[in-house]
Amino acid sequence: MMHGRKFGPGGPRGGRGRGWNAEIGQKFARAFAEAAFEGVQGKRRGRMFRRGELRLVLLHLIAEEPRHGYDLIRQIEEMTGGHYAPSPGIVYPTLTLMAEMGLIDEAADDDGKKVYSIATAGTTRLEEEQAQIAEILERLDGVSKMGEASDGASIRRAVHNLKSAIRIRLADEDKGSDKILDVAAIIDDAASKIERLK
C-alpha cells in the first residue's frame, strides 16, 4: 500500500534521475491543458472547445489560406504549443458540417485530397464573431504558455505531487466514475483560480 507516502521532486526515491523529465512534463502539460479548459456541469465533462468554438477556429485558419484537414489539426496543435490536438474524428465531421452550411468550399488537390477554402458566408460569419474568436485564440495561446510557466522548481514539485495524488487515488477507478469527475472538478477550479491571478 502506498497511502501516506510523501513524494519529493525526484519521485519516491528522491533525486531527479527517476523523477521529472521533459517527456513526462510534456505529457502532463498536455493532460493538464485539457483539464484546465474542460467544464464540469454536474457529472458531465466538457472539452477544450465549447459548443461551436472549434468551428470558429477552423474557419479562422481556413480564412488565412486553403488547408487540408490534417494541416488544420497540426495548426491547432502548434497554437497550443503541442499540448493539445483535436482528433480527426472531431475535425473532419465538423468540416463536413461547415461545407453543408456553406461556410467553406471543398475541392480536390492533385492527389485527390480535400482542400478547404473560405466561402462568402464564412467570411461574413468571421466578421460577426471577431470578439469570440479573439477570446478563443487568447485561450489557446494561454495553453501554449503553460509549459513555459511550469519550468520553475516549485511548480515542478507541485505538479509532481498532483500527478502522484491522481495516480494513487484514481488507480483503481473505472472510467467516468464519480471520483474521477470530482478530481476533474477540483483541477478545473484550481485552473480558474490561476487564470484570475493578477
Side-chain angles (χ1 to χ4, degrees), residues 7 58 72 118 120-121 123 159 162 164 188 192:
F7 299 96
L58 294 174
L72 290 164
I118 193 74
T120 301
T123 300
V159 168
L162 176 60
S164 297
D188 286 340
S192 296

Side-chain angles (χ1 to χ4, degrees), residues 85-197:
S87 71
I90 295 175
V91 170
Y92 285 103
T94 301
L95 290 170
T96 298
L97 175 61
M98 291 167 65
E100 292 174 351
M101 296 171 65
L103 299 174
I104 58 175
D105 294 321
E106 297 179 353
D109 63 12
D110 294 338
D111 296 324
K113 297 178 181 178
K114 288 184 178 180
V115 179
Y116 303 93
S117 58
I118 193 74
T120 301
T123 300
T124 301
R125 177 65 62 84
L126 284 177
E127 294 173 352
E128 295 172 346
E129 305 289 351
Q130 284 183 4
Q132 185 177 2
I133 293 172
E135 186 275 329
I136 298 170
L137 297 179
E138 182 178 1
R139 192 194 320 157
L140 296 181
D141 184 57
V143 175
S144 177
K145 293 176 180 177
M146 187 181 302
E148 300 174 11
S150 62
D151 284 342
S154 61
I155 297 296
R156 289 198 300 270
R157 175 194 56 75
V159 168
H160 178 82
N161 288 341
L162 176 60
K163 287 168 49 186
S164 297
I166 291 174
R167 184 174 60 250
I168 292 170
R169 294 300 181 186
L170 303 183
D172 299 322
E173 291 295 317
D174 294 328
K175 183 177 180 180
S177 71
D178 288 348
K179 184 178 289 186
I180 288 177
L181 294 174
D182 289 341
V183 170
I186 292 171
I187 295 174
D188 286 340
D189 183 61
S192 296
K193 291 179 179 178
I194 292 171
E195 288 178 339
R196 291 194 296 268
L197 288 175

